[in-house]
Amino acid sequence: RTRGSLPVFSKRPTREESIHRDVERLVEICLSNWHKTKGKTHPDGSLIPQEVYEARFEREMKLLISKGFCGYFLMVADYCRHSRANGVLVGPGRGSGGGSLVAYLCNITEIDPVEADLIFERFLTEGRTALPDFDVDFPSSFRDWLTNYIIGFYGEDHVVRVGNHIYMRKKKAVRTLAKVLGSTIDIHYPDIDAICKIIDMGDADSAGLGHSWE
């Protein structure tokens, strides 16, 4: 992506003004939550100096600004805020996003990466051009509710659902089917093992590619 195609959160007369306001807004939110960095200690019990947090915050913000990612952070922070304000559970943060102090200070994650000694560079580096990915968890029963909020905020032509398909090989499909049906019908598991052995023998000459079900 180029900087000109990255999303902006603030609505200002020009794109440059919107980007500038995004930076200001993100800094304001983080500073309003700076109390979350106070009184934190290392595993050995020693107090973490504020200078450590200040240096980490400055380093992260410098990179986010240079890449034009502040608007993206504000977008994620907004739907996390909206969910919590309506009593919807939000995960504390999984994956490399937990290594961002900015994400912690704007309440995307609930993990203090300085206290937990997490590395920001696993999440974002100078060489990365794609938007970093936040693994934010919500109850599946509220997925449509949250999607409708986002569509209402940004417009249907600016929101798309992204999904993935999982393909199972034959043995995995047989064992998964047996596990699912095991609570409703009598499954003789030695038969399942025997079927899987037949599959192994049948696929033995396929160099790992497997044959069709037929």
Short mmCIF file of all heavy atoms in Angstrom, two decimals, residues 47-102:
data_model
loop_
_atom_site.label_atom_id
_atom_site.label_comp_id
_atom_site.label_asym_id
_atom_site.label_seq_id
_atom_site.Cartn_x
_atom_site.Cartn_y
_atom_site.Cartn_z
N LEU A 47 11.04 -1.28 40.09
CA LEU A 47 10.11 -0.39 39.40
C LEU A 47 10.62 -0.09 37.99
O LEU A 47 11.80 0.16 37.78
CB LEU A 47 9.96 0.91 40.18
CG LEU A 47 8.84 1.87 39.74
CD1 LEU A 47 7.48 1.24 40.03
CD2 LEU A 47 8.97 3.21 40.46
N ILE A 48 9.71 -0.12 37.02
CA ILE A 48 10.08 0.22 35.65
C ILE A 48 10.08 1.74 35.51
O ILE A 48 9.04 2.37 35.72
CB ILE A 48 9.10 -0.39 34.64
CG1 ILE A 48 9.05 -1.92 34.79
CG2 ILE A 48 9.50 -0.02 33.21
CD1 ILE A 48 8.01 -2.59 33.91
N PRO A 49 11.20 2.36 35.17
CA PRO A 49 11.27 3.82 35.05
C PRO A 49 10.33 4.34 33.96
O PRO A 49 10.13 3.70 32.93
CB PRO A 49 12.73 4.09 34.69
CG PRO A 49 13.47 2.84 35.07
CD PRO A 49 12.50 1.72 34.88
N GLN A 50 9.78 5.52 34.19
CA GLN A 50 8.92 6.13 33.19
C GLN A 50 9.67 6.41 31.89
O GLN A 50 9.09 6.41 30.80
CB GLN A 50 8.33 7.43 33.74
CG GLN A 50 7.17 7.23 34.69
CD GLN A 50 5.96 6.64 33.96
OE1 GLN A 50 5.34 7.29 33.13
NE2 GLN A 50 5.62 5.39 34.28
N GLU A 51 10.99 6.62 32.00
CA GLU A 51 11.78 6.88 30.80
C GLU A 51 11.72 5.71 29.82
O GLU A 51 11.79 5.90 28.60
CB GLU A 51 13.24 7.16 31.17
CG GLU A 51 13.48 8.47 31.90
CD GLU A 51 13.14 8.39 33.38
OE1 GLU A 51 12.79 7.28 33.86
OE2 GLU A 51 13.23 9.43 34.06
N VAL A 52 11.57 4.49 30.35
CA VAL A 52 11.48 3.31 29.50
C VAL A 52 10.19 3.35 28.68
O VAL A 52 10.18 3.09 27.47
CB VAL A 52 11.54 2.02 30.35
CG1 VAL A 52 11.27 0.78 29.48
CG2 VAL A 52 12.89 1.90 31.05
N TYR A 53 9.08 3.70 29.35
CA TYR A 53 7.81 3.81 28.65
C TYR A 53 7.84 4.95 27.63
O TYR A 53 7.32 4.83 26.51
CB TYR A 53 6.67 4.04 29.65
CG TYR A 53 6.22 2.80 30.35
CD1 TYR A 53 6.66 2.50 31.64
CD2 TYR A 53 5.35 1.90 29.74
CE1 TYR A 53 6.25 1.35 32.30
CE2 TYR A 53 4.91 0.75 30.39
CZ TYR A 53 5.37 0.48 31.66
OH TYR A 53 4.96 -0.66 32.32
N GLU A 54 8.42 6.07 28.03
CA GLU A 54 8.47 7.23 27.13
C GLU A 54 9.26 6.93 25.87
O GLU A 54 8.83 7.29 24.76
CB GLU A 54 9.08 8.43 27.88
CG GLU A 54 8.18 8.96 28.99
CD GLU A 54 8.92 9.90 29.93
OE1 GLU A 54 10.12 10.15 29.69
OE2 GLU A 54 8.30 10.37 30.91
N ALA A 55 10.40 6.25 26.02
CA ALA A 55 11.23 5.90 24.86
C ALA A 55 10.49 4.91 23.96
O ALA A 55 10.54 5.03 22.73
CB ALA A 55 12.56 5.33 25.33
N ARG A 56 9.81 3.93 24.56
CA ARG A 56 9.07 2.93 23.78
C ARG A 56 7.91 3.59 23.03
O ARG A 56 7.70 3.32 21.83
CB ARG A 56 8.55 1.84 24.73
CG ARG A 56 7.63 0.79 24.12
CD ARG A 56 8.41 -0.18 23.23
NE ARG A 56 7.58 -1.34 22.90
CZ ARG A 56 7.67 -2.52 23.50
NH1 ARG A 56 8.56 -2.72 24.47
NH2 ARG A 56 6.90 -3.53 23.14
N PHE A 57 7.19 4.47 23.70
CA PHE A 57 6.07 5.16 23.08
C PHE A 57 6.55 6.03 21.91
O PHE A 57 5.94 6.01 20.83
CB PHE A 57 5.35 6.03 24.11
CG PHE A 57 4.20 6.81 23.56
CD1 PHE A 57 3.04 6.16 23.14
CD2 PHE A 57 4.27 8.19 23.45
CE1 PHE A 57 1.97 6.89 22.62
CE2 PHE A 57 3.21 8.92 22.93
CZ PHE A 57 2.06 8.27 22.52
N GLU A 58 7.62 6.75 22.10
CA GLU A 58 8.14 7.62 21.04
C GLU A 58 8.60 6.79 19.84
O GLU A 58 8.35 7.16 18.69
CB GLU A 58 9.31 8.44 21.59
CG GLU A 58 9.87 9.43 20.58
CD GLU A 58 10.98 10.28 21.17
OE1 GLU A 58 11.10 10.35 22.41
OE2 GLU A 58 11.73 10.90 20.37
N ARG A 59 9.23 5.66 20.09
CA ARG A 59 9.72 4.81 19.01
C ARG A 59 8.55 4.23 18.20
O ARG A 59 8.59 4.22 16.96
CB ARG A 59 10.57 3.68 19.60
CG ARG A 59 11.05 2.65 18.59
CD ARG A 59 12.21 1.83 19.14
NE ARG A 59 11.88 1.14 20.37
CZ ARG A 59 11.34 -0.09 20.42
NH1 ARG A 59 11.08 -0.73 19.30
NH2 ARG A 59 11.09 -0.68 21.57
N GLU A 60 7.53 3.76 18.90
CA GLU A 60 6.38 3.19 18.21
C GLU A 60 5.63 4.25 17.41
O GLU A 60 5.28 4.05 16.24
CB GLU A 60 5.44 2.51 19.20
CG GLU A 60 5.99 1.23 19.80
CD GLU A 60 4.94 0.47 20.60
OE1 GLU A 60 3.73 0.72 20.37
OE2 GLU A 60 5.32 -0.38 21.44
N MET A 61 5.38 5.40 18.04
CA MET A 61 4.62 6.45 17.36
C MET A 61 5.37 6.96 16.14
O MET A 61 4.76 7.25 15.10
CB MET A 61 4.34 7.61 18.32
CG MET A 61 3.18 7.39 19.26
SD MET A 61 1.58 7.06 18.43
CE MET A 61 1.45 8.46 17.33
N LYS A 62 6.67 7.08 16.24
CA LYS A 62 7.47 7.54 15.10
C LYS A 62 7.27 6.63 13.89
O LYS A 62 7.11 7.09 12.75
CB LYS A 62 8.94 7.61 15.48
CG LYS A 62 9.85 8.18 14.39
CD LYS A 62 11.29 8.26 14.87
CE LYS A 62 12.19 8.82 13.76
NZ LYS A 62 13.61 8.90 14.22
N LEU A 63 7.24 5.32 14.14
CA LEU A 63 7.06 4.37 13.05
C LEU A 63 5.63 4.40 12.52
O LEU A 63 5.40 4.35 11.30
CB LEU A 63 7.42 2.96 13.52
CG LEU A 63 7.45 1.86 12.46
CD1 LEU A 63 8.42 2.21 11.34
CD2 LEU A 63 7.83 0.52 13.08
N LEU A 64 4.66 4.48 13.41
CA LEU A 64 3.26 4.54 12.99
C LEU A 64 2.98 5.78 12.15
O LEU A 64 2.26 5.72 11.15
CB LEU A 64 2.33 4.51 14.21
CG LEU A 64 2.31 3.23 15.04
CD1 LEU A 64 1.37 3.39 16.23
CD2 LEU A 64 1.89 2.04 14.19
N ILE A 65 3.55 6.89 12.54
CA ILE A 65 3.36 8.14 11.80
C ILE A 65 4.00 8.04 10.42
O ILE A 65 3.41 8.42 9.41
CB ILE A 65 3.93 9.33 12.59
CG1 ILE A 65 3.09 9.58 13.85
CG2 ILE A 65 3.95 10.59 11.72
CD1 ILE A 65 3.71 10.57 14.82
N SER A 66 5.22 7.53 10.38
CA SER A 66 5.94 7.44 9.11
C SER A 66 5.23 6.53 8.11
O SER A 66 5.30 6.73 6.90
CB SER A 66 7.37 6.96 9.34
OG SER A 66 7.40 5.59 9.72
N LYS A 67 4.52 5.51 8.62
CA LYS A 67 3.82 4.58 7.75
C LYS A 67 2.36 4.96 7.52
O LYS A 67 1.67 4.30 6.73
CB LYS A 67 3.91 3.16 8.33
CG LYS A 67 5.32 2.58 8.26
CD LYS A 67 5.34 1.14 8.69
CE LYS A 67 6.70 0.52 8.38
NZ LYS A 67 6.95 0.43 6.92
N GLY A 68 1.87 5.97 8.21
CA GLY A 68 0.49 6.39 8.04
C GLY A 68 -0.52 5.44 8.63
O GLY A 68 -1.64 5.31 8.13
N PHE A 69 -0.15 4.76 9.73
CA PHE A 69 -1.00 3.74 10.32
C PHE A 69 -1.86 4.25 11.49
O PHE A 69 -2.60 3.47 12.09
CB PHE A 69 -0.15 2.56 10.83
CG PHE A 69 0.44 1.71 9.74
CD1 PHE A 69 1.38 0.75 10.05
CD2 PHE A 69 0.04 1.86 8.42
CE1 PHE A 69 1.93 -0.06 9.05
CE2 PHE A 69 0.59 1.07 7.42
CZ PHE A 69 1.54 0.11 7.74
N CYS A 70 -1.78 5.52 11.81
CA CYS A 70 -2.52 6.03 12.98
C CYS A 70 -4.03 5.90 12.80
O CYS A 70 -4.75 5.57 13.74
CB CYS A 70 -2.13 7.48 13.26
SG CYS A 70 -0.42 7.68 13.81
N GLY A 71 -4.51 6.17 11.59
CA GLY A 71 -5.95 6.03 11.33
C GLY A 71 -6.43 4.61 11.53
O GLY A 71 -7.53 4.38 12.08
N TYR A 72 -5.62 3.66 11.13
CA TYR A 72 -5.97 2.24 11.30
C TYR A 72 -6.07 1.89 12.79
O TYR A 72 -7.02 1.21 13.22
CB TYR A 72 -4.92 1.38 10.60
CG TYR A 72 -5.00 -0.09 10.91
CD1 TYR A 72 -6.13 -0.83 10.60
CD2 TYR A 72 -3.92 -0.76 11.49
CE1 TYR A 72 -6.20 -2.19 10.87
CE2 TYR A 72 -3.98 -2.11 11.76
CZ TYR A 72 -5.12 -2.82 11.45
OH TYR A 72 -5.17 -4.17 11.73
N PHE A 73 -5.13 2.35 13.59
CA PHE A 73 -5.17 2.12 15.03
C PHE A 73 -6.44 2.71 15.63
O PHE A 73 -7.08 2.11 16.49
CB PHE A 73 -3.94 2.71 15.71
CG PHE A 73 -2.80 1.75 15.87
CD1 PHE A 73 -2.17 1.21 14.76
CD2 PHE A 73 -2.33 1.37 17.12
CE1 PHE A 73 -1.11 0.32 14.89
CE2 PHE A 73 -1.27 0.49 17.26
CZ PHE A 73 -0.66 -0.04 16.15
N LEU A 74 -6.81 3.91 15.18
CA LEU A 74 -8.01 4.56 15.70
C LEU A 74 -9.28 3.79 15.33
O LEU A 74 -10.22 3.73 16.11
CB LEU A 74 -8.10 6.00 15.17
CG LEU A 74 -7.08 6.98 15.74
CD1 LEU A 74 -7.13 8.30 14.97
CD2 LEU A 74 -7.31 7.23 17.23
N MET A 75 -9.28 3.20 14.15
CA MET A 75 -10.44 2.41 13.73
C MET A 75 -10.63 1.18 14.61
O MET A 75 -11.74 0.90 15.08
CB MET A 75 -10.27 1.97 12.27
CG MET A 75 -10.39 3.10 11.28
SD MET A 75 -10.08 2.53 9.60
CE MET A 75 -10.25 4.09 8.71
N VAL A 76 -9.54 0.47 14.85
CA VAL A 76 -9.62 -0.73 15.69
C VAL A 76 -9.99 -0.33 17.12
O VAL A 76 -10.84 -0.97 17.76
CB VAL A 76 -8.30 -1.51 15.68
CG1 VAL A 76 -8.38 -2.73 16.59
CG2 VAL A 76 -7.94 -1.94 14.26
N ALA A 77 -9.37 0.74 17.61
CA ALA A 77 -9.67 1.21 18.97
C ALA A 77 -11.13 1.61 19.11
O ALA A 77 -11.76 1.39 20.15
CB ALA A 77 -8.77 2.39 19.33
N ASP A 78 -11.71 2.17 18.04
CA ASP A 78 -13.10 2.63 18.08
C ASP A 78 -14.07 1.47 18.24
O ASP A 78 -14.97 1.51 19.09
CB ASP A 78 -13.45 3.41 16.82
CG ASP A 78 -14.90 3.82 16.79
OD1 ASP A 78 -15.28 4.72 17.58
OD2 ASP A 78 -15.68 3.24 16.01
N TYR A 79 -13.92 0.40 17.44
CA TYR A 79 -14.89 -0.68 17.60
C TYR A 79 -14.64 -1.52 18.85
O TYR A 79 -15.57 -2.13 19.38
CB TYR A 79 -15.07 -1.52 16.34
CG TYR A 79 -13.88 -2.28 15.79
CD1 TYR A 79 -13.35 -3.38 16.46
CD2 TYR A 79 -13.34 -1.94 14.56
CE1 TYR A 79 -12.29 -4.10 15.94
CE2 TYR A 79 -12.28 -2.65 14.02
CZ TYR A 79 -11.77 -3.74 14.70
OH TYR A 79 -10.72 -4.46 14.18
N CYS A 80 -13.41 -1.49 19.37
CA CYS A 80 -13.17 -2.11 20.68
C CYS A 80 -13.86 -1.30 21.78
O CYS A 80 -14.50 -1.86 22.68
CB CYS A 80 -11.67 -2.20 20.96
SG CYS A 80 -10.78 -3.43 19.98
N ARG A 81 -13.74 0.02 21.69
CA ARG A 81 -14.39 0.91 22.66
C ARG A 81 -15.90 0.75 22.62
O ARG A 81 -16.56 0.62 23.65
CB ARG A 81 -14.01 2.36 22.36
CG ARG A 81 -14.72 3.39 23.25
CD ARG A 81 -14.83 4.74 22.57
NE ARG A 81 -15.51 4.68 21.29
CZ ARG A 81 -16.83 4.56 21.16
NH1 ARG A 81 -17.60 4.50 22.24
NH2 ARG A 81 -17.37 4.50 19.96
N HIS A 82 -16.46 0.73 21.40
CA HIS A 82 -17.91 0.61 21.24
C HIS A 82 -18.41 -0.71 21.83
O HIS A 82 -19.46 -0.76 22.48
CB HIS A 82 -18.27 0.70 19.76
CG HIS A 82 -19.72 0.55 19.47
ND1 HIS A 82 -20.64 1.53 19.76
CD2 HIS A 82 -20.44 -0.50 18.94
CE1 HIS A 82 -21.85 1.13 19.42
NE2 HIS A 82 -21.75 -0.10 18.92
N SER A 83 -17.67 -1.78 21.61
CA SER A 83 -18.07 -3.09 22.13
C SER A 83 -18.07 -3.10 23.65
O SER A 83 -19.04 -3.53 24.28
CB SER A 83 -17.12 -4.17 21.59
OG SER A 83 -17.19 -4.25 20.19
N ARG A 84 -16.99 -2.62 24.25
CA ARG A 84 -16.91 -2.60 25.71
C ARG A 84 -17.99 -1.70 26.31
O ARG A 84 -18.58 -2.04 27.35
CB ARG A 84 -15.53 -2.13 26.16
CG ARG A 84 -14.40 -3.10 25.82
CD ARG A 84 -13.10 -2.68 26.48
NE ARG A 84 -12.00 -3.60 26.16
CZ ARG A 84 -11.07 -3.36 25.23
NH1 ARG A 84 -11.09 -2.21 24.57
NH2 ARG A 84 -10.12 -4.24 24.98
N ALA A 85 -18.27 -0.57 25.66
CA ALA A 85 -19.29 0.35 26.16
C ALA A 85 -20.68 -0.28 26.16
O ALA A 85 -21.55 0.15 26.92
CB ALA A 85 -19.29 1.63 25.33
N ASN A 86 -20.88 -1.29 25.33
CA ASN A 86 -22.17 -1.95 25.26
C ASN A 86 -22.17 -3.33 25.92
O ASN A 86 -23.05 -4.15 25.68
CB ASN A 86 -22.60 -2.09 23.79
CG ASN A 86 -23.08 -0.78 23.20
OD1 ASN A 86 -24.25 -0.42 23.31
ND2 ASN A 86 -22.17 -0.05 22.57
N GLY A 87 -21.15 -3.56 26.76
CA GLY A 87 -21.11 -4.79 27.53
C GLY A 87 -20.71 -6.02 26.76
O GLY A 87 -20.93 -7.14 27.23
N VAL A 88 -20.10 -5.83 25.59
CA VAL A 88 -19.66 -6.96 24.77
C VAL A 88 -18.22 -7.31 25.14
O VAL A 88 -17.36 -6.43 25.21
CB VAL A 88 -19.75 -6.64 23.27
CG1 VAL A 88 -19.21 -7.80 22.43
CG2 VAL A 88 -21.19 -6.34 22.89
N LEU A 89 -17.96 -8.58 25.38
CA LEU A 89 -16.62 -9.01 25.75
C LEU A 89 -15.65 -8.78 24.59
O LEU A 89 -15.97 -9.04 23.43
CB LEU A 89 -16.61 -10.49 26.12
CG LEU A 89 -17.35 -10.87 27.41
CD1 LEU A 89 -17.39 -12.39 27.55
CD2 LEU A 89 -16.65 -10.26 28.62
N VAL A 90 -14.46 -8.30 24.92
CA VAL A 90 -13.39 -8.09 23.95
C VAL A 90 -12.15 -8.81 24.47
O VAL A 90 -11.78 -8.64 25.63
CB VAL A 90 -13.08 -6.60 23.74
CG1 VAL A 90 -11.98 -6.42 22.70
CG2 VAL A 90 -14.34 -5.84 23.32
N GLY A 91 -11.53 -9.60 23.63
CA GLY A 91 -10.34 -10.33 24.05
C GLY A 91 -9.22 -9.39 24.45
O GLY A 91 -9.12 -8.27 23.95
N PRO A 92 -8.35 -9.83 25.36
CA PRO A 92 -7.27 -8.97 25.84
C PRO A 92 -6.16 -8.76 24.82
O PRO A 92 -5.33 -7.87 24.99
CB PRO A 92 -6.73 -9.73 27.06
CG PRO A 92 -7.05 -11.17 26.76
CD PRO A 92 -8.36 -11.14 26.03
N GLY A 93 -6.17 -9.52 23.74
CA GLY A 93 -5.15 -9.35 22.71
C GLY A 93 -4.31 -10.59 22.53
O GLY A 93 -3.67 -11.04 23.47
N ARG A 94 -4.33 -11.16 21.33
CA ARG A 94 -3.51 -12.32 21.01
C ARG A 94 -2.49 -11.92 19.96
O ARG A 94 -2.59 -10.89 19.32
CB ARG A 94 -4.38 -13.46 20.47
CG ARG A 94 -5.29 -14.09 21.47
CD ARG A 94 -6.01 -15.30 20.87
NE ARG A 94 -6.89 -14.93 19.78
CZ ARG A 94 -6.70 -15.25 18.51
NH1 ARG A 94 -5.64 -15.96 18.16
NH2 ARG A 94 -7.56 -14.90 17.58
N GLY A 95 -1.51 -12.78 19.77
CA GLY A 95 -0.57 -12.58 18.68
C GLY A 95 0.39 -11.43 18.91
O GLY A 95 0.52 -10.90 20.01
N SER A 96 1.02 -11.00 17.82
CA SER A 96 2.09 -10.01 17.93
C SER A 96 1.58 -8.62 18.30
O SER A 96 2.35 -7.79 18.76
CB SER A 96 2.86 -9.94 16.61
OG SER A 96 1.99 -9.57 15.54
N GLY A 97 0.27 -8.36 18.11
CA GLY A 97 -0.28 -7.05 18.48
C GLY A 97 -0.11 -6.73 19.95
O GLY A 97 -0.09 -5.56 20.34
N GLY A 98 0.02 -7.78 20.78
CA GLY A 98 0.23 -7.56 22.21
C GLY A 98 1.56 -6.91 22.51
O GLY A 98 1.78 -6.46 23.64
N GLY A 99 2.45 -6.82 21.53
CA GLY A 99 3.75 -6.18 21.74
C GLY A 99 3.75 -4.69 21.52
O GLY A 99 4.79 -4.05 21.63
N SER A 100 2.60 -4.11 21.25
CA SER A 100 2.52 -2.67 20.98
C SER A 100 2.04 -1.90 22.21
O SER A 100 0.95 -2.12 22.71
CB SER A 100 1.55 -2.40 19.82
OG SER A 100 1.31 -1.02 19.67
N LEU A 101 2.88 -0.98 22.67
CA LEU A 101 2.49 -0.12 23.78
C LEU A 101 1.38 0.82 23.37
O LEU A 101 0.47 1.11 24.16
CB LEU A 101 3.71 0.68 24.27
CG LEU A 101 3.45 1.68 25.41
CD1 LEU A 101 2.96 0.98 26.66
CD2 LEU A 101 4.71 2.49 25.71
N VAL A 102 1.41 1.33 22.14
CA VAL A 102 0.36 2.23 21.66
C VAL A 102 -0.99 1.51 21.68
O VAL A 102 -2.00 2.07 22.09
CB VAL A 102 0.69 2.75 20.25
CG1 VAL A 102 -0.48 3.55 19.69
CG2 VAL A 102 1.94 3.62 20.27
#
